[in-house]
Amino acid sequence: CLFQALHQLYYDPNIENKNLAQKWLMQAQVSPQAWHFSWLLLNMDKVPEIQYFGASALHIKISRYWNDIPADQYESLKSQLFTQITRFASGSKIVLTRLCVALASLALSMMPEAWPCAVADMVRMFQAEDCNVDGRARCLALLELLTVLPEEFQTSRLPQYRKGQVRSVLAQECGSVFPLLEQLLQQQDSPGFIKQKVLKCFSSWVQLEIPLMDCENLIQAAFTSLQDPELFDTAVEAVVNAISQPDAQRYVNTLLKLIPPVLGLQEQLRQAVQSGDMETSHGICRIAVALGENHSRALLDQVEHWQSFLALVNMIMFCTGIPGHYPVNETTSSLTLTFWYTLQDDILSFEPDKQAVYQQVYRPVYFQLVDVLLHKAQFPSDEEYGFWSSDEKEQFRIYRVDISDTLMYVYEMLGAELLSSLYDKLGRLLTNTEQPSTWQHTEALLYGFQSIAETIDVNYSDVVPGLIGLIPRISISNVQLADTVMFTIGALSEWLADHPVMINNVLPLVLQALGNPELSISSVSTLKKICRECKYDLPPYAANIVAVSQEVLMKQIHKTSQCMWLMQALGFLLSALQVEEILKNLHSLITPYIQQLEKLADETPNPSNKLAIIHILGLLSNLFTTLDISHHDDDHESTEVKKLPVQQGPNPVVVVLQQVFQLIQKVLSKWLNDAQVVESVCAIFEKSVKTLLDDFAPMVPQLCEMLGQMYSTIPQASAIDLTRQLVHIFAHEPAHFPPIKALFLLVTSVTLTLFQQGPRDHPDIVDSFMQLLAQALKRKPDLFLCSNLDVKAVFQCGVLSLKFPEAPTVKASCGFFTELLPRCGEIAPVGQVVHENGKVLLQAVLEGVGGQASRSLMDHFAEILFALNKNCFSYLSIWIKEAMQQDGFPSARVSPEQKETFSQQILSRERVNKRRVKEMVKEFTLLCRGLHGTEYTADY
């Protein structure tokens, strides 16, 4: 049966048979019979796949079921494994490795008490003469065993206290391993494959936090091995692993001794770069960065050795600036970027006097770094870039973002002098007529400027005026350069707001770029930033901006999302104009779309005109999102300084909405059963309400009427969300609230009917409805006093919603009850319903805690318990006692004692502490789910 299952696993083409066989074999591996059949499967007459399964079964039994093995069988098990490893030393490599892993696991479980000198014994056993096994094969088997031992330790399931104990034993036992490894590396007649295995073994051992000075000889031997192309990759791993172990920084003298051999690799590095050997340059760079990045603080502290560390820093600089374009000609430079962060942090962490000394040494280095990074950020020639794949272009884009982040960080070290340096270089570049520069050089310098200006406040920089003056002199012949010019102008938009006289220097460039589809993202986002930051200074340019924007919108140059951004930009722009000017511009801007919409409203609904309708509605929504003449969103400072006089008369947005209202109703009447169109209509009003706030009041009656008709015909979540917005803003406005109250009651009535028909298919409507009820209770609780509001039915809907599988819906229902319960005292109908039906609510909450609801919702259920406790304690103490008396409730996994404890905790004095109530609920839900004390709860 076993052989048949193995045959199916390896050779049966039917995937279902393979899966069944694998499942059966996994159960066999952990069965008690595995001890018996594992040895049989290792017979030499079996194929390697079967032998491998036998070795794997042994490893699983030893590593996972160690406690099942009687102590008097340890020795025979050890002896059998040694015998098998010796037999397979010249056999199948995969079987040998598996047997070595099994013996390693055995050693880790036995040491130190049951097998005091395990590693020394292993070395001695395999060094003993055995005429049946070739010496090299024995040596390889020993090296394999010694390599997997630390690896098995890293992944072992030893308890924490044992791990520490075994780690220190292994670290001591390296005295039996390292001399052997040194000897094998130094022997002239050791073949390459033995040396490679030695280096891998050393790599494995250094991760056990062995003192760096004990590794010194082997690290030096690994450096020597770097000259051998066959050993190069393995030697790099060994050196990097040894240098990178966290404990290494304690051994400063050894670290100092490592700098000369690292610097000694520079000639090999240069030759590799010249010959285009990317693997070698990459490996050497990894070593230099490992030493610099992991130990910069320790090495900087050795002031008398400052020159040797500076030499290492310069070697890393060479790696950063390695010739060629990333990622096509080189992949090394990206490895070095984190080093420059680390070095800067370490320098700036010194006390002022020491820091001043290091600043003197390293400021010039960091200025050089800026030059190197900007050179690396340069695009290749247009011809070369044309041959790059899309994946290479994306990698280069990400690489430039990393360079941008590094430049931003370096600004902390170099300050305003960095901007001056960039400006001087750009100025020389653009004014030098004798040596015309490449566009790539100009673009990279601008990119550096943009990287800093995007995140650092450059308002006080004295070079920005000069830069703004230089930008129009740039000869833009290329998309990448044009993009960077746009993004740089965008990054300086806040500066332009403080220096409006300079706007005219750059605005024409932005408006010109708007007409180029290739510059869509950069030009539109830059115009939006300028319109947002500089809106009070833009009225003289408004007509031009609107005209150009209209033209590109009509030509459909931009994709949908950029069209939406452009409308937001125009909203910001128009906000600062006089009302009559706003209306005039709105008329010219919107009329073509209104005409289009009128035409679409007459057509029979189909997919293509649906997209056109949604697009036009989206444009209006985005325009109204930012068109705010009352300047609600302005920050305090700009409001004080530049706020325009209060406008008289109706808000322009309201004027436009009233003009198009009938048209929108007409569109709706044809598309009422299409959720996306309804959502787009609601979005126009929702964005307008959020922006206009009280100014929206004139629209309230007709909007409420339309929403009521919409929702009565086909209920949709977006209509409830808009109703909630109206309740939120106009709850305290006696003049405007009656139509909202009527709408609220209508929405409630329709939704209650929906619940009677079965709400399971509408979790989004239930979610929005619960949020509406919570908002009503928060802003206008006396809505629940209305005689035609069925509070009991609403309460029952809330309880039902708590049992939905969708987490957002349950969360919204919890929010409703946490708002409802505190109103028990002040609103009689609420108090009566809670007192009569509260037990049903508690039952639903306990069911959720008992395992019916997601664990992520427990804090929300705890909020309801907290509110019940606070507002109807006397009832709760009776309800909880009755609920907990039910057998198997809220879970069959909790005992009556555990239920009693939880009930007492909930009713104890700690009930007034919300955090403690949440902890109690979390604890109880784990018990109910059978997860208490398991690894699943570690992060809970």
Side-chain angles (χ1 to χ4, degrees):
C1 188
L2 186 65
F3 292 116
Q4 186 188 345
L6 283 164
H7 189 275
Q8 272 187 331
L9 179 66
Y10 291 120
Y11 306 114
D12 194 323
N14 185 316
I15 195 74
E16 281 187 22
N17 291 346
K18 272 184 187 295
N19 289 342
L20 280 170
Q22 186 174 18
K23 199 171 177 183
W24 188 86
L25 287 165
M26 283 170 75
Q27 288 170 336
Q29 274 185 321
V30 300
S31 69
Q33 291 77 22
W35 286 117
H36 176 64
F37 69 65
S38 297
W39 304 109
L40 296 176
L41 296 180
L42 286 166
N43 282 346
M44 283 304 181
D45 59 346
K46 302 287 185 286
V47 293
E49 290 90 341
I50 288 177
Q51 293 170 333
Y52 177 82
F53 182 79
S56 288
L58 280 173
H59 171 240
I60 286 171
K61 294 300 284 184
I62 292 167
S63 61
R64 295 191 196 169
Y65 301 95
W66 177 249
N67 292 333
D68 296 352
I69 307 169
D72 59 1
Q73 289 182 23
Y74 292 171
E75 286 305 315
S76 67
L77 186 54
K78 185 205 306 183
S79 165
Q80 279 177 291
L81 281 168
F82 269 122
T83 306
Q84 292 291 352
I85 289 172
T86 309
R87 282 175 61 210
F88 277 93
S90 307
S92 166
K93 172 78 177 66
I94 58 164
V95 181
L96 172 67
T97 301
R98 231 46 224 143
L99 287 167
C100 288
V101 172
L103 181 56
S105 186
L106 179 83
L108 293 172
S109 297
M110 288 176 70
M111 66 172 60
E113 293 87 1
W115 193 357
C117 304
V119 180
D121 285 356
M122 290 173 186
V123 173
R124 199 169 49 253
M125 290 279 290
F126 282 94
Q127 282 182 325
E129 288 298 323
D130 186 334
C131 49
N132 297 324
V133 184
D134 165 55
R136 277 189 182 167
R138 271 206 327 277
C139 180
L140 276 173
L142 173 59
L143 286 171
E144 183 64 27
L145 178 57
L146 293 176
T147 304
V148 300
L149 184 62
E151 290 169 358
E152 180 65 10
F153 170 75
Q154 304 289 5
T155 58
S156 68
R157 300 180 174 206
L158 294 170
Q160 207 53 47
Y161 78 95
R162 283 274 296 140
K163 262 210 154 159
Q165 192 182 28
V166 172
R167 185 195 295 278
S168 61
V169 171
L170 284 172
Q172 287 162 12
E173 293 240 31
C174 77
S176 306
V177 179
F178 284 11
L180 169 69
L181 301 184
E182 286 169 38
Q183 183 192 342
L184 288 169
L185 275 179
Q186 285 154 7
Q187 275 175 1
Q188 295 301 313
D189 60 342
S190 280
F193 62 87
I194 293 272
K195 288 185 174 179
Q196 197 156 34
K197 203 78 196 111
V198 168
L199 288 166
K200 279 186 178 166
C201 184
F202 173 52
S203 239
S204 181
W205 275 79
V206 291
Q207 292 177 57
L208 292 171
E209 295 177 18
I210 289 164
L212 193 64
M213 56 192 188
D214 295 347
C215 306
E216 217 173 293
N217 292 345
L218 278 168
I219 294 174
Q220 296 295 351
F223 270 108
T224 309
S225 302
L226 289 166
Q227 305 306 317
D228 182 339
E230 191 188 346
L231 302 177
F232 182 82
D233 289 344
T234 323
V236 167
E237 285 304 323
V239 173
V240 168
N241 284 343
I243 292 173
S244 304
Q245 53 166 318
D247 200 40
Q249 60 195 8
R250 288 171 46 205
Y251 304 94
V252 179
N253 289 334
T254 308
L255 290 172
L256 288 168
K257 285 184 202 171
L258 292 176
I259 295 180
V262 173
L263 296 175
L265 298 170
Q266 287 180 99
E267 188 49 42
Q268 191 180 352
L269 174 61
R270 284 196 181 87
Q271 285 173 5
V273 169
Q274 276 171 357
S275 62
D277 179 356
M278 282 165 69
E279 281 73 23
T280 300
S281 52
H282 196 82
I284 293 173
C285 172
R286 280 186 64 203
I287 291 172
V289 169
L291 184 56
E293 196 176 305
N294 288 296
H295 307 297
S296 67
R297 177 71 200 222
L299 294 170
L300 279 168
D301 268 329
Q302 308 309 303
V303 183
E304 64 279 18
H305 295 280
W306 70 271
Q307 284 168 307
S308 64
F309 183 59
L310 182 58
L312 176 67
V313 171
N314 285 325
M315 181 180 176
I316 295 173
M317 180 77 78
F318 176 81
C319 295
T320 304
I322 207 158
H325 286 289
Y326 182 96
V328 176
N329 319 109
E330 63 90 7
T331 54
T332 298
S333 57
S334 62
L335 299 177
T336 65
L337 297 179
T338 321
F339 164 74
W340 298 108
Y341 284 76
T342 308
L343 178 61
Q344 179 177 311
D345 284 347
D346 289 337
I347 290 169
L348 297 179
S349 70
F350 285 122
E351 64 276 9
D353 294 349
K354 201 170 180 181
Q355 192 185 124
V357 174
Y358 279 113
Q359 286 260 19
Q360 218 172 343
V361 176
Y362 284 100
R363 273 177 75 83
V365 173
Y366 272 86
F367 274 112
Q368 185 192 346
L369 172 67
V370 171
D371 290 344
V372 166
L373 289 175
L374 291 177
H375 181 72
K376 293 297 293 180
Q378 284 187 26
F379 279 88
S381 69
D382 294 341
E383 186 184 2
E384 196 184 332
Y385 193 62
F387 286 112
W388 283 21
S389 69
S390 57
D391 187 43
E392 286 166 340
K393 287 177 179 175
E394 177 58 12
Q395 282 185 55
F396 182 57
R397 186 193 67 77
I398 293 166
Y399 174 67
R400 277 173 48 103
V401 170
D402 291 341
I403 285 178
S404 173
D405 291 344
T406 311
L407 288 169
M408 184 190 80
Y409 205 75
V410 167
Y411 182 84
E412 190 186 347
M413 178 100 154
L414 302 180
E417 208 180 322
L418 170 54
L419 292 177
S420 304
S421 157
L422 291 174
Y423 171 64
D424 291 343
K425 289 191 175 86
L426 188 63
R428 283 199 298 274
L429 208 62
L430 295 175
T431 52
N432 186 344
T433 48
E434 293 165 27
Q435 272 187 308
S437 62
T438 62
W439 71 261
Q440 286 90 341
H441 199 166
T442 308
E443 190 279 334
L445 282 168
L446 264 184
Y447 184 68
F449 226 111
Q450 176 212 323
S451 303
I452 295 158
E454 262 179 346
T455 43
I456 307 289
D457 181 5
V458 293
N459 277 12
Y460 306 103
S461 168
D462 54 1
V463 300
V464 178
L467 175 68
I468 297 276
L470 281 175
I471 284 176
R473 301 184 62 158
I474 296 170
S475 168
I476 300 177
S477 55
N478 170 283
V479 170
Q480 283 90 6
L481 174 58
D483 259 338
T484 303
V485 168
M486 285 301 112
F487 285 127
T488 306
I489 294 170
L492 295 171
S493 56
E494 285 186 42
W495 184 90
L496 286 167
D498 289 335
H499 305 82
V501 71
M502 304 297 275
I503 290 172
N504 202 33
N505 277 38
V506 290
L507 188 58
L509 289 174
V510 179
L511 295 179
Q512 189 185 344
L514 273 184
N516 184 344
E518 290 183 296
L519 304 178
S520 182
I521 291 175
S522 61
S523 62
V524 174
S525 68
T526 297
L527 181 65
K528 183 179 163 184
K529 281 182 178 176
I530 290 174
C531 289
R532 185 181 65 215
E533 300 300 335
C534 313
K535 62 183 171 191
Y536 299 111
D537 304 297
L538 290 179
Y541 314 104
N544 196 14
I545 295 171
V546 171
V548 174
S549 301
Q550 256 184 291
E551 189 184 347
V552 300
L553 284 166
M554 283 298 126
K555 286 182 181 171
Q556 297 182 331
I557 284 173
H558 302 292
K559 290 183 179 169
T560 301
S561 54
Q562 276 71 57
C563 292
M564 302 306 159
W565 291 358
L566 190 48
M567 278 301 204
Q568 287 180 22
L570 294 172
F572 285 125
L573 173 74
L574 298 181
S575 300
L577 302 182
Q578 294 299 317
V579 169
E580 58 273 16
E581 282 296 305
I582 297 175
L583 285 168
K584 195 168 81 180
N585 280 294
L586 278 177
H587 181 73
S588 66
L589 191 60
I590 290 174
T591 301
Y593 293 112
I594 300 305
Q595 290 168 349
Q596 222 177 319
L597 197 58
E598 281 171 341
K599 191 161 158 285
L600 290 164
D602 289 329
E603 292 177 12
T604 310
N606 66 59
S608 68
N609 60 23
K610 171 183 167 176
L611 285 177
I613 288 170
I614 288 174
H615 180 74
I616 292 170
L617 295 174
L619 292 173
L620 294 175
S621 287
N622 280 279
L623 178 62
F624 298 154
T625 301
T626 53
L627 209 174
D628 178 16
I629 60 169
S630 60
H631 318 296
H632 294 115
D633 292 334
D634 289 350
D635 61 49
H636 179 69
E637 186 185 343
S638 64
T639 306
E640 270 189 19
V641 178
K642 294 183 173 176
K643 188 161 184 184
L644 300 179
V646 176
Q647 309 282 359
Q648 297 302 312
N651 189 293
V653 172
V654 172
V655 172
V656 172
L657 283 175
Q658 284 175 329
Q659 286 170 356
V660 299
F661 197 83
Q662 278 185 307
L663 175 57
I664 289 174
Q665 279 185 304
K666 187 177 177 183
V667 170
L668 259 183
S669 64
K670 285 199 175 176
W671 291 91
L672 204 48
N673 59 352
D674 188 295
Q676 286 173 295
V677 175
V678 171
E679 209 170 304
S680 300
V681 168
C682 290
I684 290 181
F685 294 105
E686 193 170 353
K687 300 269 175 70
S688 305
V689 171
K690 277 182 179 171
T691 309
L692 302 181
L693 302 177
D694 298 342
D695 290 354
F696 188 84
M699 289 293 302
V700 168
Q702 59 202 116
L703 179 58
C704 287
E705 190 182 343
M706 185 180 86
L707 276 174
Q709 289 167 355
M710 273 166 57
Y711 196 74
S712 304
T713 315
I714 296 177
Q716 301 217 12
S718 49
I720 306 185
D721 294 335
L722 182 49
T723 305
R724 186 178 85 241
Q725 202 67 45
L726 292 170
V727 169
H728 175 66
I729 290 166
F730 293 102
H732 299 301
E733 298 283 336
H736 307 301
F737 198 68
I740 296 173
K741 175 181 173 182
L743 174 63
F744 171 78
L745 293 170
L746 176 70
V747 166
T748 303
S749 166
V750 171
T751 313
L752 291 178
T753 309
L754 189 77
F755 264 90
Q756 286 166 0
Q757 294 161 355
R760 258 314 294 119
D761 298 334
H762 308 284
D764 56 334
I765 291 178
V766 175
D767 183 345
S768 294
F769 182 55
M770 289 298 133
Q771 289 186 55
L772 169 64
L773 294 172
Q775 184 69 269
L777 284 159
K778 204 181 287 181
R779 302 284 292 165
K780 195 77 172 169
D782 46 2
L783 277 170
F784 280 69
L785 288 167
C786 299
S787 56
N788 45 353
L789 179 73
D790 189 340
V791 178
K792 183 177 178 181
V794 167
F795 185 91
Q796 287 167 337
C797 289
V799 172
L800 202 58
S801 309
L802 284 175
K803 300 178 184 182
F804 270 49
E806 291 82 6
T809 307
V810 178
K811 186 178 167 184
S813 311
C814 292
F816 160 59
F817 282 114
T818 48
E819 289 295 337
L820 182 85
L821 293 168
R823 309 288 178 192
C824 282
E826 62 188 84
I827 300 173
V830 170
Q832 187 182 346
V833 166
V834 169
H835 297 156
E836 288 171 6
N837 303 274
K839 187 181 169 185
V840 184
L841 170 62
L842 178 67
Q843 184 101 359
V845 169
L846 292 174
E847 277 172 21
V849 174
Q852 296 294 318
S854 160
R855 269 166 54 199
S856 64
L857 293 163
M858 289 309 111
D859 277 357
H860 301 287
F861 280 113
E863 295 262 5
I864 298 180
L865 281 174
F866 181 77
L868 280 168
N869 234 325
K870 196 172 177 185
N871 299 288
C872 22
F873 176 71
S874 54
Y875 287 93
L876 178 65
S877 49
I878 299 164
W879 295 335
I880 198 164
K881 192 175 180 183
E882 289 174 0
M884 290 299 196
Q885 278 172 351
Q886 302 168 78
D887 285 343
F889 180 87
S891 160
R893 290 192 178 93
V894 282
S895 65
E897 292 74 28
Q898 288 169 323
K899 291 200 284 187
E900 178 61 26
T901 304
F902 175 66
S903 302
Q904 284 175 359
Q905 282 179 326
I906 287 293
L907 301 170
S908 71
R909 284 183 181 176
E910 288 192 287
R911 69 178 188 274
V912 295
N913 182 333
K914 193 183 285 188
R915 184 181 56 80
R916 272 296 293 133
V917 172
K918 287 180 178 180
E919 285 170 8
M920 293 169 198
V921 169
K922 281 183 179 178
E923 189 90 358
F924 189 60
T925 197
L926 292 174
L927 288 169
C928 290
R929 294 163 202 262
L931 294 175
H932 197 272
T934 67
E935 60 193 272
Y936 295 105
T937 64
D939 300 323
Y940 186 48

